[in-house]
């Protein structure tokens, strides 16, 4: 019975951390700069190749999430990066969050998508050029479907299912691949150094 006490304490500690950000995640989100460190291959392959998981109810309503989304936006739009999309693993978090430049919407806003999944890949594949913030100096030609159906939560927590077409659909395929540890070079017809 005596041995049970520390075991129960350990179990209680485990429960307390379940459903919230880990200490490591809080450290990444709380870093001083609003332009975050961007993970690159091959040094950060442990994060970039890992499967990302959904945000739970506690993370979804946390102030840290809004801080993270603002920082991801600052990072992808920074002149040093100048991306059209970014996924949470690229800033060191294996969570299902992407930011995408919505070329298909008026004003072309950058928007955040939480717990996103691709429900279906639609239409023929066509190949086009891609690059990635995590593979600096590389470009490739990648076959992608012309449309996707996606499901996600907005930053306000509203569930949405929508069909996206054209170049924006390609960005979603690239960014959602990151959440499954897949890089465009895995799918590319050809890759070259810029
Ligand atoms: Ni990328």
């Amino acid at each position: 019975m005596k041995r049970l006490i520390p075991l129960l304490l350990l179990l209680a500690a485990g429960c307390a951390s379940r459903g919230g950000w880990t200490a490591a995640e809080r450290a990444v989100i709380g870093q001083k700069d609003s332009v975050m460190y961007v993970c690159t291959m091959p040094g950060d392959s442990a994060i970039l190749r890992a499967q990302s998981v959904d945000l739970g109810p506690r993370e979804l309503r946390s102030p840290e999430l809004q801080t993270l989304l603002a920082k991801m936006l600052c990072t992808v739009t920074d002149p040093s990066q100048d991306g059209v999309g970014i996924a949470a693993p690229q800033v060191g978090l294996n969570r299902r969050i992407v930011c995408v430049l919505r070329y298909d919407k008026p004003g072309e806003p950058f928007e955040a998508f939480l717990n996103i999944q691709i429900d279906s890949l639609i239409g023929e594949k066509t190949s086009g050029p891609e690059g990635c913030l995590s593979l600096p100096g590389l470009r490739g030609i990648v076959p992608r479907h012309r449309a996707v159906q996606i499901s996600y939560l907005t930053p306000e927590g509203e569930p949405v299912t929508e069909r996206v077409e054209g170049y924006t659909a390609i960005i979603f395929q690239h960014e959602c691949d990151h959440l499954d540890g897949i890089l465009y070079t895995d799918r590319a017809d050809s890759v070259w150094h810029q």
Side-chain angles (χ1 to χ4, degrees):
M1 200 61 202
K2 209 174 171 186
R3 282 173 62 91
L4 266 181
I5 295 168
L7 180 62
L8 285 172
L9 284 174
L10 273 176
L11 285 172
C15 288
S17 67
R18 194 174 303 145
W21 300 103
T22 65
E25 287 175 325
R26 284 179 195 278
V28 169
I29 297 167
Q31 61 191 273
K32 188 165 61 67
D33 293 340
S34 53
V35 176
M36 304 176 85
Y37 168 79
V38 175
C39 295
T40 57
M41 290 292 280
D44 299 310
S45 63
I47 291 168
L48 290 169
R49 289 306 198 176
Q51 180 70 39
S52 289
V53 298
D54 278 345
L55 299 157
R58 285 178 60 187
E59 297 96 283
L60 284 168
R61 58 172 183 263
S62 69
E64 287 90 345
L65 177 59
Q66 300 310 317
T67 301
L68 171 63
L69 298 182
K71 287 186 174 183
M72 284 178 69
L73 192 60
C74 279
T75 305
V76 69
T77 57
D78 189 74
S80 69
Q81 300 292 351
D82 197 25
V84 296
I86 193 167
Q90 295 183 275
V91 295
L93 297 168
N94 284 121
R95 297 289 194 158
R96 297 193 73 85
I97 306 169
V98 302
C99 295
V100 169
L101 180 50
R102 294 296 303 255
Y103 283 109
D104 59 332
K105 286 189 174 182
E108 300 183 349
F110 242 112
E111 294 181 345
F113 304 86
L114 314 178
N115 294 355
I116 186 167
Q117 59 180 45
I118 293 180
D119 303 321
S120 52
L121 298 159
I122 302 160
E124 298 295 305
K125 284 183 181 175
T126 54
S127 292
E130 292 185 28
C132 180
L133 308 183
S134 295
L135 296 162
L138 286 184
R139 299 282 286 172
I141 298 292
V142 188
R144 298 285 189 188
H145 293 270
R146 56 172 299 278
V148 290
Q149 182 181 300
I150 52 174
S151 295
Y152 58 87
L153 299 175
T154 67
E156 293 74 36
E158 181 195 357
V160 176
T161 295
E162 67 171 316
R163 180 183 166 127
V164 179
E165 302 192 0
Y167 186 55
T168 312
I170 292 169
I171 304 173
F172 273 110
Q173 288 170 74
H174 177 119
E175 301 309 331
C176 289
D177 268 352
H178 275 298
L179 307 181
D180 297 325
I182 298 168
L183 301 170
Y184 78 83
T185 45
D186 300 337
R187 300 191 187 277
D189 297 326
S190 60
V191 177
W192 66 91
H193 288 271
Q194 268 183 316

